[in-house]
Amino acid sequence: MTETTPNHTQTVKGWAARDSSGKITPFVFKRRRNGAEDVTIKIFYCGMCHTDLHNARNDWGLTTYPVVPGHEITGVIINVGNNVTEFKLGDKVGVGCLAASCLKCEMCQANEENYCDDIQLTYGGIYWDGSITYGGYSTMIVSHKRFVVKMPENLPLDAAAPLLCAGITMFSPMKQNGMLDQPGKRLGIVGLGGLGHIGVKLGKAFGLHVTVISTSSSKEDEARRRLGADDFIISTNIDQMEAARKSLDFIIDTVSAQHPLGPLLELLKVGGTMVLVGVAEKPLPLPSFPLLFGRRKVVGSLIGGMKETQEMMDLCGKHNITCDIETVKPEGINEAMERLAKNDVRYRFVIDIASSSSNGVL
Ligand code: NAP
Ligand code: ZN
Protein backbone atom coordinates (compact mmCIF):
# COMPACT_ATOMS: atom_id res chain seq x y z
CA MET A 1 0.00 0.00 0.00
CA THR A 2 1.08 3.54 -0.67
CA GLU A 3 1.19 4.49 2.99
CA THR A 4 3.91 1.94 3.77
CA THR A 5 6.08 2.37 0.66
CA PRO A 6 9.28 4.09 1.90
CA ASN A 7 9.78 6.59 -0.91
CA HIS A 8 6.17 7.73 -0.73
CA THR A 9 6.96 10.86 1.19
CA GLN A 10 4.79 13.54 -0.38
CA THR A 11 1.54 14.16 1.46
CA VAL A 12 -1.39 14.97 -0.79
CA LYS A 13 -4.94 16.08 -0.17
CA GLY A 14 -7.48 14.11 -2.15
CA TRP A 15 -11.07 12.92 -2.31
CA ALA A 16 -11.94 9.22 -2.23
CA ALA A 17 -14.85 6.79 -2.24
CA ARG A 18 -14.57 4.26 0.60
CA ASP A 19 -17.35 1.82 -0.29
CA SER A 20 -19.98 1.07 -2.93
CA SER A 21 -22.20 3.93 -1.76
CA GLY A 22 -19.77 5.90 -3.93
CA LYS A 23 -19.82 8.80 -1.48
CA ILE A 24 -16.68 10.89 -1.89
CA THR A 25 -14.98 12.26 1.24
CA PRO A 26 -11.61 13.97 1.90
CA PHE A 27 -8.67 11.57 2.00
CA VAL A 28 -5.06 12.42 2.81
CA PHE A 29 -2.46 10.07 1.34
CA LYS A 30 1.17 9.88 0.18
CA ARG A 31 2.63 9.93 -3.31
CA ARG A 32 6.11 8.81 -4.36
CA ARG A 33 9.06 11.19 -4.44
CA ASN A 34 9.69 12.61 -7.89
CA GLY A 35 11.93 10.04 -9.65
CA ALA A 36 14.52 10.68 -12.37
CA GLU A 37 11.97 10.05 -15.15
CA ASP A 38 9.04 11.69 -13.36
CA VAL A 39 7.38 15.05 -13.28
CA THR A 40 5.29 16.32 -10.39
CA ILE A 41 2.18 18.22 -11.37
CA LYS A 42 0.16 20.65 -9.29
CA ILE A 43 -3.37 19.77 -10.35
CA PHE A 44 -5.61 22.66 -11.37
CA TYR A 45 -8.59 20.79 -12.83
CA CYS A 46 -9.93 17.26 -13.11
CA GLY A 47 -12.87 16.19 -15.27
CA MET A 48 -15.50 13.78 -13.91
CA CYS A 49 -15.84 10.87 -16.34
CA HIS A 50 -18.74 8.42 -16.04
CA THR A 51 -16.02 5.80 -15.46
CA ASP A 52 -15.30 7.58 -12.15
CA LEU A 53 -18.91 7.02 -11.15
CA HIS A 54 -18.84 3.36 -12.27
CA ASN A 55 -15.69 2.84 -10.16
CA ALA A 56 -16.81 4.83 -7.10
CA ARG A 57 -19.98 2.70 -6.96
CA ASN A 58 -18.24 -0.55 -7.95
CA ASP A 59 -20.61 -1.02 -10.92
CA TRP A 60 -18.16 -3.43 -12.56
CA GLY A 61 -17.13 -5.29 -9.36
CA LEU A 62 -13.50 -4.26 -9.92
CA THR A 63 -13.00 -1.45 -7.40
CA THR A 64 -10.42 -1.51 -4.60
CA TYR A 65 -11.29 1.00 -1.87
CA PRO A 66 -10.38 3.65 -1.05
CA VAL A 67 -10.46 4.84 -4.65
CA VAL A 68 -9.38 8.36 -5.59
CA PRO A 69 -10.99 8.74 -9.04
CA GLY A 70 -10.00 11.13 -11.81
CA HIS A 71 -8.22 10.65 -15.13
CA GLU A 72 -8.85 13.95 -16.90
CA ILE A 73 -6.14 15.91 -15.15
CA THR A 74 -4.60 19.25 -16.07
CA GLY A 75 -2.09 21.36 -14.18
CA VAL A 76 1.39 22.79 -14.08
CA ILE A 77 4.73 21.07 -13.56
CA ILE A 78 6.32 21.86 -10.19
CA ASN A 79 9.17 19.32 -10.21
CA VAL A 80 11.18 17.65 -12.99
CA GLY A 81 13.38 14.53 -12.72
CA ASN A 82 17.04 14.51 -13.82
CA ASN A 83 16.33 12.39 -16.91
CA VAL A 84 13.44 14.52 -18.17
CA THR A 85 14.27 16.81 -21.07
CA GLU A 86 10.79 16.89 -22.61
CA PHE A 87 9.24 19.07 -19.89
CA LYS A 88 10.28 21.96 -17.69
CA LEU A 89 9.02 23.72 -14.59
CA GLY A 90 5.85 25.70 -15.26
CA ASP A 91 4.78 23.73 -18.33
CA LYS A 92 1.01 23.25 -18.71
CA VAL A 93 0.40 19.52 -18.97
CA GLY A 94 -2.24 16.83 -18.76
CA VAL A 95 -2.51 13.26 -17.51
CA GLY A 96 -5.14 10.85 -18.76
CA CYS A 97 -6.06 7.27 -17.95
CA LEU A 98 -2.59 5.68 -17.99
CA ALA A 99 -0.05 5.60 -15.15
CA ALA A 100 2.20 2.84 -16.51
CA SER A 101 2.64 0.04 -19.05
CA CYS A 102 5.41 -2.51 -19.59
CA LEU A 103 7.16 -0.27 -22.20
CA LYS A 104 8.62 -3.39 -23.89
CA CYS A 105 5.83 -5.37 -25.55
CA GLU A 106 4.74 -5.10 -29.18
CA MET A 107 1.92 -2.71 -28.30
CA CYS A 108 4.12 -0.41 -26.20
CA GLN A 109 6.76 -0.39 -28.98
CA ALA A 110 4.00 0.61 -31.41
CA ASN A 111 2.94 3.50 -29.13
CA GLU A 112 -0.28 1.70 -28.29
CA GLU A 113 0.38 1.42 -24.56
CA ASN A 114 -3.37 1.36 -24.03
CA TYR A 115 -3.43 -2.23 -25.34
CA CYS A 116 -0.41 -3.45 -23.30
CA ASP A 117 -1.35 -6.44 -21.11
CA ASP A 118 0.35 -4.70 -18.22
CA ILE A 119 -1.31 -1.28 -18.32
CA GLN A 120 -1.82 0.33 -14.96
CA LEU A 121 -4.51 2.93 -14.82
CA THR A 122 -4.24 6.34 -13.20
CA TYR A 123 -6.41 5.13 -10.35
CA GLY A 124 -6.94 1.64 -8.99
CA GLY A 125 -3.82 0.38 -10.81
CA ILE A 126 -0.62 -1.03 -9.32
CA TYR A 127 2.41 1.08 -10.15
CA TRP A 128 5.89 -0.33 -10.86
CA ASP A 129 6.85 0.18 -7.18
CA GLY A 130 3.87 -1.92 -6.01
CA SER A 131 1.80 1.01 -4.79
CA ILE A 132 -1.86 1.48 -5.65
CA THR A 133 -2.44 4.43 -7.96
CA TYR A 134 -4.62 7.33 -6.92
CA GLY A 135 -6.18 9.65 -9.47
CA GLY A 136 -6.80 13.31 -10.10
CA TYR A 137 -9.39 14.10 -7.44
CA SER A 138 -6.33 15.34 -5.55
CA THR A 139 -4.05 18.34 -5.35
CA MET A 140 -0.95 16.89 -7.05
CA ILE A 141 0.26 13.86 -8.96
CA VAL A 142 3.64 12.34 -9.83
CA SER A 143 3.71 10.92 -13.36
CA HIS A 144 6.27 9.12 -15.47
CA LYS A 145 7.14 11.41 -18.41
CA ARG A 146 5.85 8.92 -20.99
CA PHE A 147 2.30 9.34 -19.71
CA VAL A 148 2.23 13.15 -19.68
CA VAL A 149 0.69 15.27 -22.46
CA LYS A 150 1.67 18.83 -23.40
CA MET A 151 -1.31 21.17 -23.38
CA PRO A 152 -1.68 23.65 -26.25
CA GLU A 153 -1.18 27.24 -25.07
CA ASN A 154 -4.51 28.39 -26.52
CA LEU A 155 -6.69 25.86 -24.68
CA PRO A 156 -7.98 26.68 -21.18
CA LEU A 157 -6.97 24.03 -18.63
CA ASP A 158 -10.53 23.56 -17.34
CA ALA A 159 -12.42 23.05 -20.63
CA ALA A 160 -9.54 21.04 -22.12
CA ALA A 161 -9.21 18.62 -19.18
CA PRO A 162 -11.88 16.15 -20.42
CA LEU A 163 -9.98 15.75 -23.69
CA LEU A 164 -7.52 13.56 -21.73
CA CYS A 165 -10.13 10.78 -21.58
CA ALA A 166 -13.36 11.74 -23.37
CA GLY A 167 -11.44 13.37 -26.24
CA ILE A 168 -9.01 10.55 -26.93
CA THR A 169 -11.71 7.90 -26.47
CA MET A 170 -13.62 9.45 -29.38
CA PHE A 171 -10.59 10.42 -31.48
CA SER A 172 -8.89 7.01 -31.46
CA PRO A 173 -11.75 5.02 -33.02
CA MET A 174 -12.25 7.79 -35.58
CA LYS A 175 -8.61 7.53 -36.60
CA GLN A 176 -8.36 3.72 -36.43
CA ASN A 177 -11.53 3.26 -38.51
CA GLY A 178 -10.54 5.74 -41.20
CA MET A 179 -12.91 8.56 -40.33
CA LEU A 180 -10.34 11.36 -40.29
CA ASP A 181 -9.74 11.53 -44.01
CA GLN A 182 -13.16 10.71 -45.45
CA PRO A 183 -15.11 13.96 -45.23
CA GLY A 184 -18.77 13.55 -46.03
CA LYS A 185 -19.02 10.04 -44.53
CA ARG A 186 -21.87 9.68 -42.11
CA LEU A 187 -21.14 9.13 -38.41
CA GLY A 188 -23.76 8.40 -35.75
CA ILE A 189 -22.97 9.16 -32.11
CA VAL A 190 -25.13 7.33 -29.58
CA GLY A 191 -25.48 9.12 -26.23
CA LEU A 192 -24.86 12.85 -25.97
CA GLY A 193 -22.87 12.99 -22.73
CA GLY A 194 -19.24 13.77 -21.97
CA LEU A 195 -17.85 11.47 -24.65
CA GLY A 196 -20.65 12.01 -27.16
CA HIS A 197 -20.55 15.81 -27.23
CA ILE A 198 -16.82 15.89 -27.90
CA GLY A 199 -17.36 13.24 -30.58
CA VAL A 200 -19.75 15.59 -32.36
CA LYS A 201 -17.20 18.41 -32.29
CA LEU A 202 -14.37 16.16 -33.52
CA GLY A 203 -16.55 14.63 -36.22
CA LYS A 204 -17.50 18.06 -37.55
CA ALA A 205 -13.86 19.21 -37.47
CA PHE A 206 -13.01 16.25 -39.74
CA GLY A 207 -15.82 17.07 -42.17
CA LEU A 208 -18.09 14.16 -41.29
CA HIS A 209 -21.88 14.30 -41.42
CA VAL A 210 -22.80 13.76 -37.76
CA THR A 211 -26.09 12.34 -36.47
CA VAL A 212 -26.76 12.25 -32.72
CA ILE A 213 -28.85 9.31 -31.53
CA SER A 214 -30.18 10.19 -28.10
CA THR A 215 -32.80 9.36 -25.49
CA SER A 216 -33.14 13.06 -24.56
CA SER A 217 -35.29 15.24 -26.81
CA SER A 218 -34.26 18.21 -24.64
CA LYS A 219 -30.74 18.01 -26.10
CA GLU A 220 -31.75 18.42 -29.77
CA ASP A 221 -31.64 22.17 -30.05
CA GLU A 222 -28.18 22.64 -28.61
CA ALA A 223 -26.84 19.53 -30.34
CA ARG A 224 -27.68 21.14 -33.65
CA ARG A 225 -27.07 24.79 -32.88
CA ARG A 226 -24.16 24.78 -30.45
CA LEU A 227 -22.36 21.51 -31.17
CA GLY A 228 -23.00 21.53 -34.92
CA ALA A 229 -24.76 18.16 -35.31
CA ASP A 230 -26.39 17.68 -38.72
CA ASP A 231 -29.16 15.37 -37.56
CA PHE A 232 -30.74 14.29 -34.30
CA ILE A 233 -32.70 11.07 -33.78
CA ILE A 234 -34.57 9.97 -30.68
CA SER A 235 -33.68 6.31 -30.23
CA THR A 236 -37.09 5.45 -28.76
CA ASN A 237 -38.96 7.00 -31.70
CA ILE A 238 -39.67 4.10 -34.07
CA ASP A 239 -40.59 6.34 -37.01
CA GLN A 240 -37.39 8.37 -36.77
CA MET A 241 -35.30 5.20 -36.43
CA GLU A 242 -37.02 3.61 -39.44
CA ALA A 243 -36.50 6.73 -41.56
CA ALA A 244 -32.76 6.62 -40.78
CA ARG A 245 -32.37 2.91 -41.58
CA LYS A 246 -29.15 2.09 -43.49
CA SER A 247 -28.06 5.74 -43.50
CA LEU A 248 -24.80 5.66 -41.52
CA ASP A 249 -21.26 4.53 -42.34
CA PHE A 250 -20.11 4.49 -38.71
CA ILE A 251 -21.60 4.57 -35.24
CA ILE A 252 -19.76 5.26 -32.00
CA ASP A 253 -21.86 4.07 -29.05
CA THR A 254 -21.00 5.88 -25.79
CA VAL A 255 -23.96 4.72 -23.69
CA SER A 256 -23.09 3.89 -20.08
CA ALA A 257 -26.09 1.59 -19.39
CA GLN A 258 -28.05 -1.39 -20.76
CA HIS A 259 -29.66 -0.61 -24.12
CA PRO A 260 -30.68 -2.61 -27.22
CA LEU A 261 -28.06 -2.77 -29.98
CA GLY A 262 -30.30 -4.21 -32.72
CA PRO A 263 -32.17 -1.02 -33.65
CA LEU A 264 -28.87 0.90 -33.70
CA LEU A 265 -27.20 -1.66 -35.99
CA GLU A 266 -30.10 -1.25 -38.43
CA LEU A 267 -29.00 2.39 -38.88
CA LEU A 268 -25.71 1.25 -40.45
CA LYS A 269 -25.30 0.82 -44.19
CA VAL A 270 -24.22 -2.60 -45.46
CA GLY A 271 -20.64 -3.14 -44.24
CA GLY A 272 -20.89 -0.31 -41.69
CA THR A 273 -19.02 -0.34 -38.40
CA MET A 274 -20.24 0.21 -34.86
CA VAL A 275 -17.58 1.05 -32.28
CA LEU A 276 -18.54 0.37 -28.68
CA VAL A 277 -16.84 2.64 -26.16
CA GLY A 278 -19.50 2.82 -23.43
CA VAL A 279 -19.36 0.17 -20.73
CA ALA A 280 -22.68 -1.08 -19.37
CA GLU A 281 -22.85 -2.93 -16.06
CA LYS A 282 -23.71 -6.23 -17.77
CA PRO A 283 -22.86 -7.63 -21.23
CA LEU A 284 -25.09 -6.30 -24.02
CA PRO A 285 -26.99 -8.90 -26.10
CA LEU A 286 -25.71 -8.85 -29.70
CA PRO A 287 -28.48 -9.84 -32.16
CA SER A 288 -27.32 -11.88 -35.17
CA PHE A 289 -29.81 -10.78 -37.85
CA PRO A 290 -28.82 -7.10 -38.21
CA LEU A 291 -25.19 -8.21 -38.36
CA LEU A 292 -25.71 -10.96 -40.94
CA PHE A 293 -28.14 -9.12 -43.18
CA GLY A 294 -25.91 -6.04 -43.36
CA ARG A 295 -22.41 -7.54 -43.13
CA ARG A 296 -22.00 -5.11 -40.29
CA LYS A 297 -19.14 -5.03 -37.80
CA VAL A 298 -19.10 -4.35 -34.07
CA VAL A 299 -15.72 -3.44 -32.60
CA GLY A 300 -14.47 -1.96 -29.34
CA SER A 301 -11.98 0.76 -28.49
CA LEU A 302 -10.15 1.75 -25.30
CA ILE A 303 -8.90 5.32 -24.89
CA GLY A 304 -5.75 5.74 -27.05
CA GLY A 305 -1.96 5.52 -26.90
CA MET A 306 0.14 8.41 -25.62
CA LYS A 307 1.39 9.50 -29.07
CA GLU A 308 -2.16 9.46 -30.36
CA THR A 309 -3.33 11.41 -27.29
CA GLN A 310 -0.75 14.12 -28.00
CA GLU A 311 -1.84 14.16 -31.66
CA MET A 312 -5.49 14.58 -30.59
CA MET A 313 -4.55 17.34 -28.14
CA ASP A 314 -2.55 19.23 -30.78
CA LEU A 315 -5.43 18.92 -33.27
CA CYS A 316 -7.85 20.23 -30.65
CA GLY A 317 -5.46 23.15 -30.14
CA LYS A 318 -5.37 23.79 -33.89
CA HIS A 319 -9.15 23.63 -34.28
CA ASN A 320 -9.79 25.29 -30.89
CA ILE A 321 -11.87 22.35 -29.70
CA THR A 322 -12.70 22.21 -26.00
CA CYS A 323 -15.46 20.64 -23.93
CA ASP A 324 -18.66 22.22 -22.71
CA ILE A 325 -18.20 22.07 -18.96
CA GLU A 326 -19.78 22.90 -15.64
CA THR A 327 -17.15 23.64 -13.01
CA VAL A 328 -17.65 22.38 -9.45
CA LYS A 329 -15.66 22.84 -6.24
CA PRO A 330 -14.39 19.70 -4.46
CA GLU A 331 -17.19 20.10 -1.89
CA GLY A 332 -19.65 19.67 -4.77
CA ILE A 333 -18.32 16.34 -6.07
CA ASN A 334 -21.09 14.21 -4.53
CA GLU A 335 -23.85 16.40 -5.90
CA ALA A 336 -22.18 16.33 -9.33
CA MET A 337 -21.93 12.50 -9.15
CA GLU A 338 -25.67 12.31 -8.41
CA ARG A 339 -26.44 14.54 -11.36
CA LEU A 340 -24.12 12.52 -13.62
CA ALA A 341 -25.99 9.35 -12.61
CA LYS A 342 -29.28 11.06 -13.57
CA ASN A 343 -27.96 12.24 -16.96
CA ASP A 344 -28.21 15.85 -15.77
CA VAL A 345 -24.99 17.37 -17.09
CA ARG A 346 -24.15 19.55 -20.11
CA TYR A 347 -21.72 17.94 -20.82
CA ARG A 348 -18.91 17.40 -18.37
CA PHE A 349 -18.34 18.32 -14.74
CA VAL A 350 -14.82 19.56 -14.09
CA ILE A 351 -13.54 19.91 -10.53
CA ASP A 352 -11.75 23.16 -9.75
CA ILE A 353 -9.05 21.47 -7.68
CA ALA A 354 -6.86 24.58 -7.46
CA SER A 355 -9.60 26.32 -5.46
CA SER A 356 -8.80 23.99 -2.53
CA SER A 357 -5.05 24.39 -2.20
CA SER A 358 -2.37 26.99 -2.76
CA ASN A 359 0.62 24.82 -3.66
CA GLY A 360 -0.60 21.29 -4.36
CA VAL A 361 1.38 19.71 -1.53
CA LEU A 362 0.28 19.65 2.08
P1 NAP B 1 -22.12 10.39 -19.68
O1 NAP B 1 -21.61 11.78 -19.73
O2 NAP B 1 -22.95 9.99 -18.52
O3 NAP B 1 -22.89 10.10 -21.06
C1 NAP B 1 -23.53 8.89 -21.34
C2 NAP B 1 -24.75 9.18 -22.22
O4 NAP B 1 -25.39 7.94 -22.52
C3 NAP B 1 -25.82 10.02 -21.55
O5 NAP B 1 -25.57 11.40 -21.67
C4 NAP B 1 -27.06 9.61 -22.30
O6 NAP B 1 -27.15 10.33 -23.53
C5 NAP B 1 -26.81 8.16 -22.65
N1 NAP B 1 -27.51 7.26 -21.72
C6 NAP B 1 -27.37 7.19 -20.37
N2 NAP B 1 -28.15 6.23 -19.87
C7 NAP B 1 -28.78 5.66 -20.92
C8 NAP B 1 -29.69 4.58 -21.06
N3 NAP B 1 -30.13 3.89 -19.98
N4 NAP B 1 -30.12 4.25 -22.31
C9 NAP B 1 -29.67 4.94 -23.38
N5 NAP B 1 -28.82 5.98 -23.30
C10 NAP B 1 -28.38 6.32 -22.10
O7 NAP B 1 -20.91 9.33 -19.71
P2 NAP B 1 -19.47 9.47 -20.40
O8 NAP B 1 -18.50 10.02 -19.42
O9 NAP B 1 -19.62 10.06 -21.73
O10 NAP B 1 -19.09 7.91 -20.53
C11 NAP B 1 -19.89 7.05 -21.31
C12 NAP B 1 -19.46 5.59 -21.14
O11 NAP B 1 -18.17 5.42 -21.74
C13 NAP B 1 -19.31 5.13 -19.70
O12 NAP B 1 -19.78 3.80 -19.59
C14 NAP B 1 -17.80 5.17 -19.46
O13 NAP B 1 -17.37 4.27 -18.45
C15 NAP B 1 -17.30 4.75 -20.82
N6 NAP B 1 -15.93 5.17 -21.16
C16 NAP B 1 -15.22 4.32 -21.96
C17 NAP B 1 -13.95 4.68 -22.35
C18 NAP B 1 -13.17 3.79 -23.28
O14 NAP B 1 -11.94 3.93 -23.36
N7 NAP B 1 -13.82 2.91 -24.02
C19 NAP B 1 -13.39 5.89 -21.91
C20 NAP B 1 -14.17 6.72 -21.13
C21 NAP B 1 -15.44 6.36 -20.76
P3 NAP B 1 -28.57 10.80 -24.14
O15 NAP B 1 -29.19 11.68 -23.10
O16 NAP B 1 -28.16 11.54 -25.35
O17 NAP B 1 -29.35 9.57 -24.42
ZN1 ZN C 1 -12.79 8.49 -18.55
Side-chain angles (χ1 to χ4, degrees):
M1 291 290 290
T2 299
E3 286 76 6
T4 55
T5 307
N7 81 339
H8 282 235
T9 54
Q10 308 202 72
T11 306
V12 182
K13 183 170 153 192
W15 293 268
R18 321 297 179 116
D19 56 46
S20 61
S21 71
K23 184 162 187 260
I24 305 278
T25 51
F27 174 61
V28 174
F29 62 99
K30 305 264 192 201
R31 291 203 189 274
R32 67 179 184 272
R33 267 196 298 266
N34 195 78
E37 314 255 299
D38 289 335
V39 298
T40 298
I41 301 161
K42 173 177 159 45
I43 299 178
F44 282 23
Y45 296 101
C46 185
M48 291 178 65
C49 180
H50 204 114
T51 299
D52 300 349
L53 179 62
H54 288 307
N55 275 287
R57 297 188 177 178
N58 202 14
D59 282 350
W60 303 328
L62 299 170
T63 306
T64 307
Y65 293 102
V67 60
V68 176
H71 56 211
E72 296 181 340
I73 301 163
T74 56
V76 167
I77 292 188
I78 55 171
N79 199 351
V80 182
N82 288 338
N83 296 345
V84 178
T85 51
E86 299 85 345
F87 300 101
K88 59 181 190 318
L89 290 180
D91 279 356
K92 291 181 190 166
V93 292
V95 173
C97 301
L98 299 181
S101 66
C102 82
L103 306 183
K104 298 188 290 274
C105 71
E106 197 185 341
M107 299 320 294
C108 286
Q109 301 279 329
N111 292 309
E112 294 196 284
E113 304 92 341
N114 48 322
Y115 297 117
C116 167
D117 278 344
D118 235 351
I119 52 165
Q120 300 304 330
L121 299 172
T122 299
Y123 60 87
I126 300 177
Y127 195 66
W128 293 323
D129 63 5
S131 64
I132 291 182
T133 58
Y134 293 126
Y137 293 15
S138 61
T139 50
M140 72 87 141
I141 191 164
V142 182
S143 293
H144 185 274
K145 61 182 182 179
R146 173 130 176 182
F147 301 96
V148 178
V149 174
K150 291 187 177 125
M151 300 300 290
E153 274 304 321
N154 59 317
L155 298 188
L157 290 183
D158 52 359
L163 297 172
L164 274 311
C165 172
I168 184 60
T169 300
M170 300 307 285
F171 177 78
S172 182
M174 288 184 188
K175 181 170 180 187
Q176 302 299 335
N177 290 282
M179 298 182 219
L180 302 197
D181 47 9
Q182 298 194 72
K185 288 273 182 184
R186 299 171 77 95
L187 166 66
I189 302 236
V190 190
L192 195 62
L195 268 55
H197 95 287
I198 200 71
V200 175
K201 293 189 185 190
L202 288 170
K204 289 313 296 175
F206 301 128
L208 298 167
H209 180 283
V210 179
T211 301
V212 173
I213 302 135
S214 172
T215 58
S216 308
S217 54
S218 60
K219 294 179 182 172
E220 174 162 4
D221 200 41
E222 60 193 21
R224 287 182 188 273
R225 280 210 258 171
R226 212 175 61 223
L227 303 177
D230 299 288
D231 275 321
F232 192 96
I233 299 173
I234 299 294
S235 51
T236 49
N237 183 319
I238 293 166
D239 294 339
Q240 287 186 12
M241 292 291 279
E242 179 59 28
R245 195 169 166 267
K246 287 193 169 166
S247 66
L248 303 175
D249 298 287
F250 307 102
I251 289 177
I252 305 180
D253 184 335
T254 75
V255 173
S256 51
Q258 281 320 107
H259 63 293
L261 293 183
L264 297 170
L265 288 167
E266 296 283 0
L267 301 179
L268 286 171
K269 295 176 185 171
V270 173
T273 301
M274 171 187 271
V275 187
L276 284 179
V277 295
V279 192
E281 272 177 58
K282 296 197 196 100
L284 300 174
L286 187 61
S288 307
F289 281 175
L291 288 181
L292 273 54
F293 280 87
R295 204 190 341 111
R296 298 170 173 114
K297 297 179 276 292
V298 178
V299 301
S301 189
L302 179 73
I303 45 172
M306 294 315 303
K307 191 161 174 248
E308 204 176 40
T309 306
Q310 188 67 61
E311 181 188 350
M312 176 276 314
M313 194 58 80
D314 294 343
L315 273 168
C316 286
K318 189 172 151 207
H319 293 282
N320 220 359
I321 294 176
T322 54
C323 305
D324 290 21
I325 61 164
E326 191 176 326
T327 308
V328 295
K329 300 253 190 273
E331 307 79 69
I333 293 174
N334 288 307
E335 192 188 335
M337 284 275 191
E338 290 295 333
R339 285 183 53 198
L340 183 57
K342 287 191 291 198
N343 194 9
D344 174 24
V345 49
R346 305 284 172 91
Y347 285 91
R348 195 54 129 202
F349 289 114
V350 171
I351 310 165
D352 180 0
I353 302 277
S355 67
S356 73
S357 146
S358 56
N359 63 0
V361 185
L362 284 179

